[in-house]
Amino acid sequence: MLDPHGITLAEVNARYPSIFQKLGYDVLLDVDSTYKPKVISTFQMCVNIIVTLLMMKPGQYPSIPELGIDIDQYLHEYADDDKIPNTITSKLYEQCNRLQMAAGLEIKCSIDKLSNGINALIVQINANNKVAYGDESSKVIIGITYNQLNELYVRKTYIK
């Protein structure tokens, strides 16, 4: 049952002290284990922003038209060009710097082949102790590929 009193700023600051949250924090349309509104930290927010940047097409955000990587355009090129992971990594760093969120993050992209022979882009994000303060994990792995229906499939896993 949803907590009718919600969550207080003091509770959020106790969990995620503002000194460690360079981008602040975000509240999701979900509840946590105590049935209060779910609040995510700067690191979790950075991971969500990186996934959004990967999926966005340039020009989709009118005030910053160069924002977005359009990962869909690269998915069919994985087998042909081994420079693609470095290209994606450099674009991610460039766009994260533009959004002033790259400090404290290490991003690595690579290509892996699934058991069914389909290529997948693997994005590994590591955060330093300051960015990941208050989180259970400072490392996340994001896998992006197509499923059997040729639909884009994204999965992220936090590594402890």
Side-chain angles (χ1 to χ4, degrees):
M1 184 166 151
L2 182 64
D3 181 353
H5 300 292
I7 191 166
T8 66
L9 189 56
E11 290 175 293
V12 173
N13 285 332
R15 188 180 312 160
Y16 303 119
S18 59
I19 193 167
F20 295 109
Q21 306 303 314
K22 65 179 181 171
L23 297 177
Y25 44 81
D26 199 10
V27 179
L28 303 179
L29 295 174
D30 197 3
V31 292
D32 62 13
S33 59
T34 61
Y35 299 105
K36 291 183 179 264
K38 186 172 185 178
V39 178
I40 61 172
S41 67
T42 287
F43 177 56
Q44 294 168 346
M45 199 166 45
C46 286
V47 170
N48 290 346
I49 290 169
I50 288 171
V51 170
T52 301
L53 287 172
L54 286 166
M55 306 300 268
M56 267 177 51
K57 294 181 184 347
Q60 199 168 343
Y61 196 70
S63 63
I64 313 173
E66 63 276 2
L67 207 58
I69 293 174
D70 188 16
I71 195 65
D72 200 29
Q73 74 177 342
Y74 293 106
L75 287 176
H76 294 295
E77 299 177 25
Y78 286 167
D80 300 337
D81 190 356
D82 54 350
K83 296 177 188 170
I84 296 285
N86 291 335
T87 302
I88 294 170
T89 301
S90 64
K91 284 186 175 189
L92 277 173
Y93 271 117
E94 176 187 313
Q95 294 189 14
C96 287
N97 280 330
R98 181 160 175 89
L99 297 173
Q100 298 177 351
M101 60 172 258
L105 294 178
E106 178 188 354
I107 304 168
K108 287 190 240 177
C109 295
S110 61
I111 296 179
D112 196 9
K113 195 168 284 280
L114 302 177
S115 60
N116 59 4
I118 297 174
N119 290 316
L121 175 71
I122 308 299
V123 180
Q124 181 177 326
I125 305 167
N126 296 325
N128 65 20
N129 290 337
K130 187 172 182 179
V131 173
Y133 183 86
D135 283 312
E136 295 177 14
S137 172
S138 64
K139 181 178 182 179
V140 67
I141 296 177
I142 303 167
I144 304 172
T145 189
Y146 284 106
N147 63 14
Q148 284 82 8
L149 299 174
N150 207 28
E151 299 168 325
L152 201 58
Y153 178 77
V154 179
R155 180 177 175 143
K156 64 182 177 183
T157 304
Y158 288 86
I159 307 297
K160 294 185 181 189

